[in-house]
Coordinates of all heavy atoms in Angstrom, one line a residue:
D1 N 0.8 -1.2 0.0 CA 0.0 0.0 0.0 C 0.8 1.3 0.0 O 0.5 2.2 -0.6 CB -0.9 0.0 1.2 CG -2.0 -1.0 1.1 OD1 -2.2 -1.5 0.0 OD2 -2.6 -1.3 2.2
E2 N 2.0 1.2 0.7 CA 2.8 2.4 0.8 C 3.9 2.6 -0.3 O 4.6 3.5 -0.4 CB 3.6 2.4 2.2 CG 2.6 2.5 3.3 CD 1.9 3.9 3.3 OE1 2.5 4.9 2.9 OE2 0.8 4.0 3.9
S3 N 4.0 1.5 -1.1 CA 5.0 1.6 -2.2 C 4.7 2.8 -3.2 O 3.4 2.9 -3.5 CB 5.0 0.4 -3.1 OG 5.8 0.5 -4.3
C4 N 5.5 3.6 -3.5 CA 5.3 4.8 -4.4 C 5.1 4.4 -5.8 O 4.5 5.1 -6.6 CB 6.4 5.8 -4.3 SG 7.9 5.3 -5.1
G5 N 5.5 3.2 -6.2 CA 5.2 2.7 -7.5 C 6.2 3.1 -8.6 O 6.0 2.8 -9.8
K6 N 7.2 3.9 -8.2 CA 8.2 4.3 -9.2 C 9.0 3.2 -9.8 O 9.2 3.3 -11.1 CB 9.1 5.4 -8.5 CG 10.1 6.0 -9.5 CD 10.9 7.1 -8.9 CE 11.7 7.8 -9.8 NZ 12.5 8.9 -9.3
C7 N 9.4 2.3 -9.1 CA 10.3 1.2 -9.6 C 9.5 -0.1 -9.7 O 8.7 -0.5 -8.8 CB 11.5 1.0 -8.9 SG 11.4 0.2 -7.3
T8 N 9.7 -0.8 -10.8 CA 9.1 -2.1 -11.0 C 9.3 -3.2 -10.0 O 8.3 -3.8 -9.6 CB 9.4 -2.6 -12.5 OG1 9.1 -1.6 -13.5 CG2 8.7 -3.9 -12.8
P9 N 10.5 -3.4 -9.5 CA 10.7 -4.4 -8.6 C 9.9 -4.3 -7.3 O 9.2 -5.3 -6.8 CB 12.2 -4.4 -8.2 CG 12.8 -3.7 -9.4 CD 11.8 -2.8 -9.9
C10 N 9.7 -3.2 -6.8 CA 8.9 -2.9 -5.6 C 7.4 -2.9 -6.0 O 6.6 -3.5 -5.3 CB 9.3 -1.5 -4.9 SG 8.4 -1.2 -3.4
R11 N 7.1 -2.2 -7.0 CA 5.6 -2.1 -7.3 C 5.0 -3.4 -7.6 O 4.0 -3.8 -7.1 CB 5.5 -1.1 -8.6 CG 4.0 -0.8 -8.9 CD 4.0 0.1 -10.2 NE 4.5 -0.7 -11.4 CZ 5.6 -0.3 -12.0 NH1 6.3 0.7 -11.7 NH2 6.0 -1.0 -13.1
E12 N 5.6 -4.2 -8.5 CA 5.1 -5.5 -8.9 C 5.4 -6.5 -7.9 O 4.7 -7.5 -7.7 CB 5.6 -5.8 -10.4 CG 5.1 -4.8 -11.4 CD 3.7 -4.7 -11.5 OE1 3.0 -5.7 -11.3 OE2 3.1 -3.7 -11.7
G13 N 6.7 -6.5 -7.3 CA 7.1 -7.5 -6.4 C 6.2 -7.6 -5.2 O 5.8 -8.6 -4.7
T14 N 5.8 -6.3 -4.6 CA 5.0 -6.5 -3.3 C 3.6 -6.9 -3.8 O 3.0 -7.6 -3.0 CB 4.9 -5.0 -2.8 OG1 4.5 -4.1 -3.7 CG2 6.3 -4.6 -2.2
K15 N 3.1 -6.6 -5.0 CA 1.8 -7.0 -5.4 C 1.7 -8.5 -5.5 O 0.8 -9.2 -5.1 CB 1.5 -6.3 -6.8 CG 0.1 -6.7 -7.4 CD 0.0 -6.0 -8.7 CE -1.4 -6.3 -9.3 NZ -1.6 -5.6 -10.6
Q16 N 2.8 -9.1 -6.2 CA 2.8 -10.5 -6.4 C 3.0 -11.3 -5.1 O 2.4 -12.3 -4.9 CB 3.8 -11.0 -7.4 CG 3.6 -10.2 -8.9 CD 2.2 -10.7 -9.4 OE1 1.7 -11.8 -9.2 NE2 1.5 -9.8 -10.0
L17 N 3.9 -10.8 -4.3 CA 4.1 -11.5 -3.0 C 2.8 -11.4 -2.1 O 2.5 -12.4 -1.5 CB 5.3 -10.7 -2.2 CG 6.7 -11.1 -2.6 CD1 7.6 -10.2 -1.8 CD2 7.0 -12.6 -2.3
L18 N 2.1 -10.3 -2.2 CA 0.9 -10.3 -1.4 C -0.1 -11.3 -1.9 O -0.9 -11.9 -1.2 CB 0.3 -8.9 -1.4 CG -0.9 -8.6 -0.7 CD1 -0.7 -9.0 0.9 CD2 -1.4 -7.2 -0.8
K19 N -0.2 -11.3 -3.2 CA -1.2 -12.3 -3.8 C -0.8 -13.7 -3.4 O -1.7 -14.5 -3.1 CB -1.1 -12.2 -5.4 CG -1.8 -11.1 -6.0 CD -1.8 -11.2 -7.5 CE -2.7 -10.1 -8.2 NZ -2.6 -10.3 -9.7
I20 N 0.4 -14.1 -3.4 CA 0.9 -15.5 -3.0 C 0.5 -15.7 -1.5 O -0.1 -16.8 -1.2 CB 2.3 -15.7 -3.3 CG1 2.6 -15.6 -4.8 CG2 2.8 -17.0 -2.8 CD1 4.0 -15.6 -5.2
L21 N 0.9 -14.8 -0.8 CA 0.6 -15.0 0.8 C -0.9 -15.0 1.1 O -1.3 -15.8 1.9 CB 1.3 -13.7 1.5 CG 2.8 -13.8 1.6 CD1 3.3 -12.4 2.1 CD2 3.3 -14.9 2.6
T22 N -1.6 -14.2 0.4 CA -3.1 -14.3 0.5 C -3.6 -15.6 0.1 O -4.5 -16.2 0.8 CB -3.7 -13.1 -0.2 OG1 -3.2 -11.9 0.2 CG2 -5.3 -13.1 0.1
R23 N -3.1 -16.1 -1.0 CA -3.5 -17.5 -1.5 C -3.2 -18.5 -0.4 O -4.0 -19.3 -0.2 CB -2.8 -17.7 -2.8 CG -3.6 -18.6 -3.7 CD -3.1 -18.5 -5.1 NE -1.7 -18.8 -5.3 CZ -0.8 -18.1 -5.9 NH1 -1.2 -17.0 -6.5 NH2 0.5 -18.4 -6.1
I24 N -2.0 -18.4 0.1 CA -1.6 -19.4 1.1 C -2.5 -19.4 2.4 O -3.0 -20.4 2.9 CB -0.1 -19.2 1.4 CG1 0.7 -19.6 0.3 CG2 0.2 -20.2 2.7 CD1 2.3 -19.3 0.5
T25 N -2.9 -18.1 2.8 CA -3.7 -18.1 4.0 C -5.1 -18.5 3.8 O -5.9 -18.8 4.7 CB -3.7 -16.6 4.6 OG1 -4.3 -15.8 3.6 CG2 -2.3 -16.1 5.0
K26 N -5.5 -18.6 2.5 CA -6.8 -19.2 2.2 C -6.8 -20.6 1.9 O -7.9 -21.3 1.5 CB -7.4 -18.5 0.9 CG -7.7 -16.9 1.2 CD -8.2 -16.4 -0.1 CE -8.7 -14.9 0.1 NZ -9.2 -14.3 -1.1
G27 N -5.6 -21.3 2.0 CA -5.5 -22.7 1.7 C -5.4 -23.0 0.3 O -5.6 -24.2 -0.2
E28 N -5.0 -22.0 -0.6 CA -4.9 -22.2 -2.0 C -3.5 -22.2 -2.5 O -3.3 -22.2 -3.7 CB -5.7 -21.1 -2.7 CG -7.2 -21.2 -2.3 CD -7.9 -19.8 -2.8 OE1 -7.2 -19.0 -3.4 OE2 -9.1 -19.7 -2.6
G29 N -2.6 -22.2 -1.5 CA -1.1 -22.1 -2.0 C -0.6 -23.5 -2.3 O -1.1 -24.6 -2.0
T30 N 0.6 -23.5 -3.0 CA 1.3 -24.7 -3.3 C 2.8 -24.6 -2.8 O 3.2 -23.5 -2.5 CB 1.3 -24.9 -4.8 OG1 2.1 -23.9 -5.4 CG2 -0.1 -25.0 -5.3

């Protein structure tokens, strides 16, 4: 939420990590 979005590694990396972690907490992870 606090990423300024200027650089791709942070902007996209935090987004994808959050997706994976959310998936795992829902029992949908691998």
